[in-house]
Amino acid sequence: MSTTIDRRRLLTGAALGAAGVVTGSAFGSFAPEDALANDAVSALEPGMPDPNFAEGLVRSIDDDVISALGSDGTLWRVRVTSGTSVWKLTPTTFDKVAVGDGLYARGARLDDGTLAADSVWANIVNLKAHVVSISDRKIHLDHNDERIVAHVMPGISAAVYNGTPAISDVSMVQVDSHVQVLGAWIPGTNEVEVSTIYAAA
């Protein structure tokens, strides 16, 4: 079995729930839990794709336009503006997005088919996994028979125990427990950086 995560499967398989990272922009929240949330989805015909949401792997970046190949073969052109919010483990800037990153973007479709992005999320993943072992700032996970290394990031990573408010102390995460990890995948690896880990104390 390959130790490298299938990046596209993780991106499209993410089902984001409540998370402890919250921020905002002129367009409203661009917290990671909003990457798949969309009030407009209910207005779509069942089974129809949301025209104002893009996902895929970044193929190229030309000035302010990201080209990304979607999991369904769609070639997306995502335009980033001065008002676009960007998330890559933490709120960041457009210059941190790179070729090879996994991309989610939400915005408005322009007449030429380009998506003018309100929000962009890079490499976001949401995993339900079993804790195999814990070492210094690393939580070793089993996710659907794939081994994943989750890196605890000082000053960034937070833990939510039994639904309580998020705290920076992840020391109560236990070996042989089941957890949910929201974070950012490190391209080309089987590793993620932890934004929030949900666990039982």
Side-chain angles (χ1 to χ4, degrees):
M1 180 184 304
S2 170
T3 58
T4 300
I5 296 174
D6 183 332
R7 300 174 290 180
R8 186 167 296 157
R9 179 162 57 82
L10 283 182
L11 282 171
T12 58
L16 302 179
V21 179
V22 178
T23 184
S25 74
F27 299 98
S29 174
F30 68 107
E33 69 268 23
D34 290 339
L36 294 182
N38 186 0
D39 294 338
V41 168
S42 59
L44 298 173
E45 291 292 327
M48 293 297 293
D50 180 356
N52 298 313
F53 181 80
E55 63 80 22
L57 294 177
V58 176
R59 300 289 295 274
S60 64
I61 300 173
D62 184 12
D63 293 328
D64 60 352
V65 176
I66 302 169
S67 293
L69 184 62
S71 59
D72 62 356
T74 300
L75 184 60
W76 288 96
R77 296 179 71 248
V78 177
R79 184 175 301 279
V80 176
T81 72
S82 60
T84 303
S85 303
V86 180
W87 183 95
K88 193 173 183 179
L89 186 64
T90 61
T92 188
T93 53
F94 174 51
D95 61 310
K96 301 301 183 184
V97 178
V99 171
D101 281 347
L103 178 81
Y104 281 123
R106 189 179 304 288
R109 288 291 287 273
L110 304 178
D111 290 342
D112 65 359
T114 300
L115 182 75
D118 292 346
S119 302
V120 167
W121 297 267
N123 298 328
I124 189 170
V125 291
N126 186 52
L127 308 171
K128 290 185 178 179
H130 178 173
V131 178
V132 176
S133 64
I134 299 173
S135 58
D136 184 40
R137 294 185 180 170
K138 294 180 183 178
I139 301 173
H140 301 268
L141 305 171
D142 184 303
H143 170 72
N144 296 334
D145 294 324
E146 290 184 284
R147 290 303 173 95
I148 297 170
V149 178
H151 295 271
V152 176
M153 308 301 292
I156 296 174
S157 300
V160 173
Y161 299 105
N162 304 318
T164 59
I167 60 174
S168 60
D169 181 6
V170 301
S171 66
M172 290 184 284
V173 174
Q174 300 174 4
V175 173
D176 206 30
S177 65
H178 292 276
V179 296
Q180 183 172 355
V181 177
L182 177 64
W185 158 71
I186 301 173
T189 73
N190 65 334
E191 303 178 35
V192 299
E193 295 174 330
V194 176
S195 173
T196 307
I197 186 166
Y198 299 84

